[in-house]
Amino acid sequence: MVREQLKGKNIVITGASGGIGAEIAKLCAASGANLILLARSFDKLEQLQSELQQKYQVKVDVFKLDVSDTNQVQVVFQQIFDTIGDIDILVNNAGFGVFREAHEASIDEIKGMFEVNVVGLMACTSMVLPKMRSRRFGHIINIASQAGKIATPKSSVYSATKHAVLGYSNALRMELSDYNVQVTSVNPGPIATNFFNIADEKGTYVKSVQRFMLQPEFVAGKVVDSMLTKTREINLPRWMNMGSVVYVLFPRLFERIGKRMLNSK
Ligand SMILES: NC(=O)c1ccc[n+]([C@@H]2O[C@H](COP(=O)([O-])OP(=O)(O)OC[C@H]3O[C@@H](n4cnc5c(N)ncnc54)[C@H](OP(=O)(O)O)[C@@H]3O)[C@@H](O)[C@H]2O)c1
């Protein structure tokens, strides 16, 4: 499906070497966008670059970037501005989780998750804000999670990072509302990607949520459909979002009843 509004737009995707990021890249390429793909695995980026260039004849640039290295974030974004031009859409997708109870999480894991999921996302956003504000045009899409709406046992740190992403996105949306720059948060439930190779080493969580698992192509389609629209949030699957509504209204009851189910990691 071709999304006409994306034709010729410059779209930056962090964490584009696999999972949802790579699927978003494919759909944007199919709509004729120019892609700028960022991740640490440069070989995978190059592979995706040649696949997309051959299949869709679009311009694809790739840069090696660890988003937790904020100096490198500045260097890479400056290179993008100098060699490619303005960024129309930024998809902050890079992220990871390690599912552990708080007492088991090491300080390095805690720092690592915050540095990538939160500080890295904010660093990339900071780089595009001045130009988007002055051009009065742009869209920032932050991939958060349902874990950013409902904190669940064994993902205390990961949930905290995604709550931070939602808080940041909500404030940012209001700051940018007079500048025609859109901010969309994406809150998926479990998606069948390599995310769980790190998050769920034992495979117990994957087993218990297998029947709810979303496909990355489906999530990517919803994200790409939202591009350059005023979509505030994407919550997937829809029924899961009902849980967060009930949680806000009846937190004590929700935690009592939901504890066992939410603890299935
Ligand atoms: N899968 C799920 O169930 C699920 C559910 C809700 C939300 N999410 C969120 O969705 C996003 C994408 O996850 P996914 O499911 O597609 O997982 P994935 O398949 O593991 O992909 C993660 C991507 O992030 C990149 N990445 C990780 N650390 C990075 C860093 N320090 N700097 C730059 N890139 C980095 C990885 O590339 P390199 O390793 O090459 O750097 C990879 O391209 C994440 O933010 C995740 O929290 C996932």
Side-chain angles (χ1 to χ4, degrees), residues 14-22 38-45 64-69 92-97 99 112 115-117 121 142-147 158 161-162 186-198 205 213-214 216 219 236:
T14 71
S17 60
I20 318 170
L38 317 176
R40 293 168 304 175
S41 312
F42 196 64
D43 49 339
K44 289 187 189 165
L45 289 180
K64 186 179 167 76
L65 177 66
D66 179 339
V67 296
S68 68
D69 181 343
N92 280 310
N93 167 72
F96 78 104
F99 291 166
E115 281 167 6
V116 176
N117 300 0
L121 175 145
N142 292 331
I143 310 294
S145 171
Q146 281 295 316
Y158 179 67
T161 67
K162 295 300 187 177
V186 183
N187 305 311
I191 311 163
T193 66
N194 287 337
F195 175 86
F196 293 106
N197 296 353
I198 297 175
Y205 178 69
M213 279 271 189
L214 299 161
V219 177
L236 298 167

Side-chain angles (χ1 to χ4, degrees), residues 83-114:
T83 59
I84 299 163
D86 291 326
I87 295 168
D88 299 304
I89 301 172
L90 167 66
V91 184
N92 280 310
N93 167 72
F96 78 104
V98 183
F99 291 166
R100 288 201 210 293
E101 287 198 11
H103 71 277
E104 295 172 324
S106 71
I107 296 298
D108 281 349
E109 281 170 351
I110 295 169
K111 277 188 177 171
M113 275 184 262
F114 270 92

